[in-house]
Amino acid sequence: MISSYTVGIYPRSEELIEATRKNSKNLSSLYLKEKKEYLAVQKRAKLGYVCDPLLEWDDIYRPFSKLKSVKLSALNRIYETNTFYRRLSFDGPLDDAGNIVKSSLAVSLLPKNRTVCIADPYTFADVHLSTKYRKREEFTLAIAKMLRKEIDALVKSGFELIQLVAPSIAYNEKVDFGIVKNAMEIITRGLKAKTILHFYFGDVSKKIEKLLDMPVSGLGFDTTLTPLSSIKKHSFSGKSLAVGIVNSYNTKLEDKQECVTDLNNIISKTKPDEIFVTTNFDLQYLPKDFAVRKILRLGEIARGVRSA
Amino acid sequence: MHKYFPTQEIGSLKKPSWLLSVVKNPDISKEDKSRARNDAALLNIKMLEDLGLDVIYDGEVRRVEMYEEPVRYIKGFEFAGRVRSWDNKYYNKARITGEISYKQNFHGEEFKFIKENTKHDIKVPVTGAYTLADWSYDEHYKSKEELVLALAKNVIRPLVKDLVKLGAKIIQIDEPAATSHPSEMDVFRQSVNESVKGINAKVVVHACFSGNDYESLAPQMPEIKAQQYTLEFANRDSWNLGVNDKERKGYDVLKLFKEYGYKGEIGIGVTDVHVDRIETPKLVRDRILYSAKALGDPAKVYVNPDCGLRTRSRTVAFEKIKSMVEGAELARQTMNN
């Protein structure tokens, strides 16, 4: 089975950028208008799963600053990009989690085939701080429990596919896979939704074997950094495979036929249960016009693979 | 006699609000806008002189921003649109759609005006090839290295040569992206060396702090053809007085530069450009004295803010510079006693 979706935060239009800078009176109506536009683009592209473009989110973690015990901290670079996020400090129990992500999404606008993107617990703990959970494992597992509450609420609201973005697992040279596995078990045990652990900002070629052992439905890759030649060395039998073949870090549009050929090749080599054609990460690294072109091209590629 | 601890700015200052309202007003003529820019440049020059800086510029008051300004004048770039820096802050990012080439000396008029209006030493900030490449979408070149070297040889080198022809004696290559990709430091080194090949001027490299405490920069420093690095330290240091390792943890990496054999000057950042709190002259003094000891030679220490001060209000920026100049004087007095 072949499907498609996009990963992460979408870019704001020039009009919306200006409105957020000036805190314009019509900001909420602009957000709504633009969300609808992006949902229409995803529909036009015939993506298998549709997501909220997360236009109000300043970064993928920011909604969690609404938790009582979480404080905003300093700006920090997002890995090696020229974009920054604000570090959060988790200074107390996370009992009030459960509705943070859901309440930050336009759920009523989404079709039934809906997906959502959340940072995985390992990445979350890697890039934030805590004065309460001082050991990495303790912090990661506390985050995993918090995220599970969030995910349960999302699944109840009809989200069928949960993307867990894991750039730290890709970027960090050393990863404690024991902690990752324990955290993922908390997230996925008995969950009635598909879960894709998605890697970008680093080459995970040498980590794929260990990642295949994670209790998730499938794995996703940024193919600009983890080459297809590395992925196809592995069998994905019993797992789903998400191929982030559309590059959100360059305006250059992918060649449709080249991508279709690459994807057909990887399907035949890895034999996954299900394949997803995706962006490699957030489209917010492109201006809106280019992001829209990429979404449409993503759809064309996915349809090309289906018909091949 | 050599003056220890010369003081300098890194480059940018916040533009005066009156200037912004003039330049954004469509009803004001080009000539009047140009006069307003001259007035603002003159104001910054005189402010920096009055505050006692030894090496000055004009606060980059004529430049839109350090990336967008040069890109406007380089053939091969096309603006794609704005991309997020953080939260609601965005920058205009460009695509490279063809061969890169140099069209004109885009800092020439700015430099000539400053030269005519000051007797102080002038340090000209020039955005470096590596940062220009890193912050753009490359749709044309086969690799990042090829793009960086094309920019270094075909744009930055002729620009620097033209500035030197006009009388520039100190050129600062601004490279905020330099250490953001530790695995690309070889490309960065080649980029600076190609940019300044054959030029007869003092070369300063400004690199922002990015994640690994300049550990990736340190091994490259002796191999890069720069006489000085202006770097960020204050924002990782404590606010307590003292010249010991514990209080001056932000400056500890200076020892690493020495270990790797770097023998040139360091412009040490002594004021944090991300906070409004003003460093006291005594704190500045201690940061300077610690750095002089860590480098083993006080003559190698220049004093500057961590980075451009444009993120702070003009009042805060000028207070920080004032305190920095006073701190440098305290450090000189300590050295002389």
Side-chain angles (χ1 to χ4, degrees):
Chain A
M1 194 186 148
I2 295 152
S3 191
S4 52
Y5 60 83
T6 60
V7 177
I9 299 177
Y10 280 42
R12 295 172 183 166
S13 66
E14 288 289 324
E15 189 187 11
L16 192 51
I17 290 169
E18 278 307 308
T20 53
R21 286 163 70 97
K22 292 173 184 159
N23 202 13
S24 304
K25 280 180 188 165
N26 62 342
L27 193 53
S28 337
S29 61
L30 274 178
Y31 272 128
L32 185 63
K33 179 178 151 250
E34 202 150 318
K35 274 180 205 173
K36 286 181 178 171
E37 281 170 13
Y38 271 130
L39 293 176
V41 172
Q42 293 181 63
K43 197 177 165 192
R44 217 167 101 208
K46 296 189 172 69
L47 299 190
Y49 290 90
V50 172
C51 62
D52 183 305
L54 311 180
L55 297 172
E56 282 126 324
W57 295 31
D58 288 325
D59 57 59
I60 199 77
Y61 315 102
R62 192 67 59 86
F64 293 91
S65 65
K66 291 178 196 161
L67 291 169
K68 275 183 210 150
S69 62
V70 174
K71 279 191 215 121
L72 283 173
S73 184
L75 283 174
N76 206 23
R77 190 183 289 274
I78 300 180
Y79 303 91
E80 297 186 3
T81 70
N82 191 29
T83 304
F84 296 77
Y85 69 99
R86 206 165 276 286
R87 284 181 117 178
L88 304 177
S89 186
F90 292 77
D91 298 337
L94 305 168
D95 305 335
D96 48 335
N99 197 33
I100 296 290
V101 178
K102 196 184 133 192
S103 64
S104 310
L105 299 173
V107 179
S108 63
L109 298 179
L110 295 171
K112 278 186 178 170
N113 51 328
R114 55 185 70 160
T115 179
V116 64
C117 180
I118 305 176
D120 93 290
Y122 176 88
T123 296
F124 219 120
D126 187 51
V127 301
H128 294 289
L129 314 160
S130 179
T131 51
K132 177 173 168 61
Y133 309 102
R134 291 183 182 273
K135 287 187 180 158
R136 171 60 68 87
E137 182 165 13
E138 187 192 7
F139 187 27
T140 309
L141 299 184
I143 294 286
K145 285 174 193 160
M146 171 190 84
L147 293 178
R148 179 61 197 257
K149 286 188 199 169
E150 294 291 328
I151 291 168
D152 280 340
L154 291 164
V155 174
K156 238 184 218 175
S157 301
F159 284 85
E160 298 171 355
L161 189 146
I162 310 293
Q163 305 170 42
L164 295 152
V165 289
S168 284
I169 294 178
Y171 187 80
N172 293 353
E173 219 166 283
K174 286 181 187 165
V175 175
D176 187 331
F177 287 100
I179 296 179
V180 176
K181 195 170 182 180
N182 291 341
M184 292 319 302
E185 268 165 8
I186 291 171
I187 297 273
T188 61
R189 194 180 296 130
L191 189 75
K192 289 192 174 104
K194 290 173 192 167
T195 45
I196 304 289
L197 197 55
H198 189 96
F199 312 101
Y200 53 90
F201 292 150
D203 181 356
V204 291
S205 296
K206 290 178 183 161
K207 299 171 184 164
I208 296 177
E209 208 55 57
K210 286 201 167 99
L211 294 170
L212 278 165
D213 196 32
M214 293 299 150
V216 286
S217 317
L219 305 179
F221 303 93
D222 163 11
T223 60
T224 66
L225 287 177
T226 301
L228 290 166
S229 55
S230 299
I231 302 168
K232 68 185 177 195
K233 285 179 188 160
H234 303 269
S235 164
F236 276 74
S237 172
K239 284 265 191 245
S240 299
L241 171 62
V243 186
I245 203 160
V246 171
N247 187 0
S248 301
Y249 214 62
N250 200 318
T251 41
K252 192 174 182 179
L253 211 52
E254 284 69 17
D255 181 280
K256 181 190 152 188
Q257 201 44 53
E258 225 172 80
C259 291
V260 169
T261 307
D262 284 344
L263 285 159
N264 283 328
N265 185 268
I266 203 151
I267 293 168
S268 71
K269 300 272 190 219
T270 58
K271 297 189 175 15
D273 283 8
E274 193 170 13
I275 187 130
F276 299 102
V277 186
T278 72
T279 54
N280 56 347
F281 44 78
D282 313 59
L283 285 158
Q284 72 160 336
Y285 295 100
L286 294 167
K288 187 184 174 189
D289 289 352
F290 292 90
V292 167
R293 280 176 233 170
K294 292 272 182 173
I295 298 165
L296 296 173
R297 180 53 53 93
L298 171 63
E300 287 169 13
I301 295 167
R303 292 198 299 282
V305 177
R306 274 188 216 125
S307 61
Chain B
M1 196 180 133
H2 181 85
K3 180 185 180 183
Y4 283 135
F5 316 132
T7 52
Q8 57 188 355
E9 231 284 281
I10 292 297
S12 63
L13 289 170
K14 199 177 198 75
K15 292 179 180 69
S17 49
W18 59 262
L19 176 66
L20 292 174
S21 42
V22 170
V23 295
K24 284 180 180 171
N25 187 337
D27 299 328
I28 295 178
S29 69
K30 265 188 178 178
E31 292 72 30
D32 284 344
K33 285 179 183 174
S34 173
R35 269 193 288 274
R37 287 192 183 97
N38 284 349
D39 288 348
L42 201 56
L43 177 69
N44 280 351
I45 291 165
K46 295 304 165 197
M47 280 299 291
L48 297 175
E49 283 179 353
D50 288 353
L51 287 166
L53 287 186
D54 298 294
V55 185
I56 66 153
Y57 206 58
D58 69 349
E60 298 180 18
V61 76
R62 297 169 198 272
R63 303 185 189 183
V64 188
E65 182 263 354
M66 67 169 299
Y67 168 79
E68 190 173 336
E69 180 75 19
V71 162
R72 284 178 173 192
Y73 299 98
I74 304 170
K75 200 175 167 202
F77 280 93
E78 277 178 39
F79 283 105
R82 281 190 281 182
V83 171
R84 176 179 271 157
S85 290
W86 73 88
D87 295 2
N88 297 334
K89 304 278 183 199
Y90 285 75
Y91 74 100
N92 207 356
K93 189 164 174 172
R95 304 151 68 201
I96 293 146
T97 53
E99 287 292 308
I100 292 290
S101 65
Y102 178 65
K103 289 193 287 193
Q104 65 190 89
N105 180 353
F106 42 85
H107 297 322
E109 292 307 311
E110 161 192 289
F111 173 73
K112 278 195 277 186
F113 184 88
I114 298 165
K115 195 166 168 255
E116 282 163 14
N117 285 287
T118 188
K119 289 192 167 58
H120 285 230
D121 287 343
I122 301 168
K123 173 162 64 73
V124 191
V126 170
T127 307
Y130 183 84
T131 294
L132 288 173
D134 190 59
W135 290 1
S136 305
Y137 302 113
D138 179 15
E139 296 190 22
H140 180 77
Y141 289 88
K142 284 185 192 122
S143 67
K144 186 168 178 183
E145 182 174 359
E146 198 184 315
L147 165 62
V148 170
L149 294 180
L151 277 163
K153 289 176 192 172
N154 305 337
V155 177
I156 305 302
R157 194 193 295 166
L159 169 68
V160 171
K161 280 189 172 169
D162 280 351
L163 287 165
V164 171
K165 262 188 221 160
L166 290 177
K169 293 189 170 68
I170 311 170
I171 302 288
Q172 176 176 276
I173 307 287
D174 281 339
E175 289 282 16
T179 57
S180 59
H181 304 281
S183 62
E184 294 176 5
M185 293 310 290
D186 280 350
V187 180
F188 172 66
R189 184 195 65 237
Q190 289 177 63
S191 161
V192 178
N193 289 350
E194 288 296 339
S195 297
V196 301
K197 200 170 186 175
I199 74 141
N200 183 21
K202 178 174 182 176
V203 175
V204 177
V205 170
H206 171 60
C208 295
F209 170 77
S210 184
N212 75 352
D213 207 2
Y214 295 127
E215 282 172 20
S216 57
L217 178 66
Q220 303 291 341
M221 288 169 74
E223 309 301 324
I224 292 175
K225 297 188 190 325
Q227 287 79 55
Q228 185 184 118
Y229 290 85
T230 48
L231 304 172
E232 258 185 82
F233 301 97
N235 66 359
R236 304 188 304 289
D237 197 42
S238 90
W239 287 75
N240 301 329
L241 296 181
V243 289
N244 55 57
D245 288 345
K246 188 181 159 224
E247 301 306 346
R248 297 286 72 84
K249 60 185 177 184
Y251 297 79
D252 188 53
V253 71
L254 287 168
K255 294 174 192 161
L256 190 68
F257 300 162
K258 203 175 155 195
E259 277 170 33
Y260 275 103
Y262 176 68
K263 294 189 172 75
E265 297 163 356
I266 300 284
I268 55 160
V270 293
T271 55
D272 185 345
V273 300
H274 297 295
V275 295
D276 283 344
R277 184 174 169 187
I278 311 290
E279 294 77 6
T280 64
K282 282 181 181 171
L283 177 61
V284 172
R285 173 199 65 195
D286 288 357
R287 287 174 171 170
I288 296 170
L289 293 174
Y290 179 87
S291 303
K293 198 176 160 200
L295 287 171
D297 183 356
K300 288 180 183 165
V301 177
Y302 276 60
V303 179
N304 41 259
D306 270 355
C307 200
L309 276 159
R310 81 183 178 114
T311 53
R312 307 272 53 89
S313 71
R314 290 173 66 82
T315 311
V316 169
F318 292 136
E319 280 298 314
K320 280 184 178 265
I321 294 171
K322 181 171 175 272
S323 193
M324 183 179 95
V325 171
E326 287 171 10
E329 183 50 34
L330 289 180
R332 279 178 216 117
Q333 286 168 11
T334 310
M335 289 293 295
N336 292 335
N337 289 336

